[in-house]
Amino acid sequence: MTTTQQYAALAAVLAVLAGGGRVWWQLHRLRRVLRTERAAALLTDAAHHRDLEAFRTRVARAVAEQRAAEEFTARFLDDLAVMAAADAIVTAELARTTHHNPQEGDTS
């Protein structure tokens, strides 16, 4: 093998090593990018779960408040109906017994 062939062989080996090094470096960078993407995906999932849990808590609180308001309204309407019935009874009794009240002026 002549000197020129040796230099050519050495240049070929160096070119292969440089190409291999470049491929290795590209794979290394790709792995770093993939790790970064995985970490970002994990953080996004964790934030999504946290936000979803907060949303569920807010919805549960709003539903409980709505139910409490509906129960209060139902109780209020029941009380109002009782008071209206009592008022009707009192009004009927007053209308029926007014002529017996001497202060009304009609004592007959």
Side-chain angles (χ1 to χ4, degrees):
M1 192 185 247
T2 64
T3 306
T4 305
Q5 290 174 337
Q6 289 176 349
Y7 285 132
L10 181 61
V13 168
L14 290 177
V16 168
L17 287 176
R22 182 167 174 83
V23 168
W24 176 85
W25 181 249
Q26 291 292 335
L27 287 175
H28 177 70
R29 285 181 48 200
L30 182 60
R31 276 184 264 180
R32 284 183 21 203
V33 168
L34 286 174
R35 270 187 266 144
T36 304
E37 288 295 321
R38 281 189 200 127
L42 288 174
L43 286 174
T44 302
D45 287 346
H48 174 71
H49 287 297
R50 184 196 65 215
D51 292 345
L52 189 58
E53 194 59 38
F55 174 74
R56 286 180 181 151
T57 302
R58 285 197 320 264
V59 168
R61 188 179 312 126
V63 167
E65 288 174 4
Q66 180 66 28
R67 286 184 182 152
E70 289 171 356
E71 290 171 4
F72 174 79
T73 302
R75 285 193 312 267
F76 175 75
L77 291 176
D78 290 343
D79 292 346
L80 193 60
V82 168
M83 289 175 65
D87 189 43
I89 292 170
V90 169
T91 302
E93 284 299 311
L94 285 175
R96 188 177 67 81
T97 60
T98 301
H99 64 281
H100 296 294
N101 190 349
Q103 295 180 356
E104 289 289 322
D106 184 14
T107 57
S108 56

